[in-house]
Amino acid sequence: MKIKIKGLKVNYKVDGLGSPVVIIHGWGEDSNTVNNLSQMFAQTNTVYTLDLPGFGLSEVPDKSWDIYDYEDLVTKFIKAMNLENVILVGHSMGGAIAICLAYSRLISIKGLFLVDAAGVRNKPNKQNIVNKLKVFLYKVVKFLIKILPLVAKKKEKLLNRMQRKTASADYLAVKGVMRNTFVKVLNNDLQYAMAKVVQPTVLIWGEHDTATPLDEAQIMNGLIRNSKLKIIRGAGHFPFIDKPEEVYEIITKELRRINRGE
């Protein structure tokens, strides 16, 4: 199905019957990626899963977006569907969007399931330092190319070579406005928002996640007051694909608890 929001055609699916659940996928994904999650929640709830703009069958924005643009789109989608007391489920970037939605309080949210969610950026670890050095090096080379006429003719080749060495696979996989969107979304640190989330929150995390490592889940768990951390042993960034039975068991139990108002 399609709906027009913020001037864009947005693709979405509806499944199941019961109180509303909205599932938000991650970067480079679409509604098909989180199909396992949708089927789990559809056993007891009406599940709405959308393709975020720039992904799946939804249109690409005409300018780069940040996490708050995506938050605004999901807010408008939920209001257009006339949904109240929703359960928000967010994977990776979708988890960051869900955190923003809980912080803004523009919609009625009953609870959150954050699955290997993004949103923790400013942490003093070795990988972050390495990433910042790569970005700095790229900017230095870009500046030198501008002021050194001898290398100006080879500008594109040199920049492309630097991008391949310093950029992530996700960045290189997209083009146009989505590249700038990736940078804007990636650089958002939402720890300030996590501290203001009041809804019951379940953190489901793959033990061996390298995209959003387990220490980020522990930071979230410490910041979100009413939260539980469930670690899926042996799973990576997609625990609902790696260990679907374990994830389903957690969802079933915790959904009952949230519905009872505990």
Side-chain angles (χ1 to χ4, degrees), residues 4-169:
K4 198 160 190 177
I5 305 175
K6 292 171 71 79
L8 299 170
K9 290 180 182 177
V10 175
N11 184 62
Y12 71 98
K13 301 176 184 177
V14 183
D15 194 14
L17 187 65
S19 56
V21 170
V22 175
I23 300 180
I24 313 169
H25 65 77
W27 182 270
E29 305 170 19
D30 57 29
S31 55
N32 292 323
T33 312
V34 292
N35 191 52
N36 274 16
L37 282 174
S38 178
Q39 290 179 357
M40 292 175 193
F41 281 97
Q43 301 298 315
T44 54
N45 296 75
T46 302
V47 180
Y48 298 80
T49 313
L50 63 158
D51 292 344
L52 296 173
F55 305 98
L57 299 177
S58 292
E59 290 184 327
V60 179
D62 58 2
K63 63 179 182 179
S64 59
W65 279 19
D66 60 22
I67 201 75
Y68 306 106
D69 291 307
Y70 282 109
E71 173 208 350
D72 183 50
L73 178 123
V74 178
T75 297
K76 286 179 166 59
F77 173 81
I78 290 172
K79 288 182 176 180
M81 295 290 112
N82 296 312
L83 305 181
E84 295 285 341
N85 294 319
V86 300
I87 299 284
L88 286 180
V89 183
H91 175 243
S92 197
M93 181 184 80
I97 296 168
I99 291 166
C100 289
L101 289 162
Y103 174 78
S104 68
R105 302 183 186 183
L106 296 175
I107 56 172
S108 172
I109 300 171
K110 194 173 186 178
L112 293 92
F113 285 81
L114 303 179
V115 186
D116 295 76
V120 176
R121 293 296 300 163
N122 296 328
K123 52 178 185 172
N125 62 20
K126 182 179 178 181
Q127 189 57 50
N128 265 358
I129 293 170
V130 170
N131 288 339
K132 286 179 180 179
L133 285 172
K134 285 181 178 180
V135 172
F136 176 73
L137 180 60
Y138 176 74
K139 288 181 178 178
V140 168
V141 172
K142 191 174 181 180
F143 173 74
L144 289 175
I145 286 172
K146 287 182 179 179
I147 65 173
L148 296 176
L150 292 177
V151 295
K153 293 180 180 180
K154 298 181 180 180
K155 176 181 176 180
E156 292 303 320
K157 185 181 289 186
L158 287 168
L159 287 179
N160 287 336
R161 185 179 298 172
M162 283 298 299
Q163 280 186 344
R164 288 195 297 272
K165 288 182 178 294
T166 60
S168 69

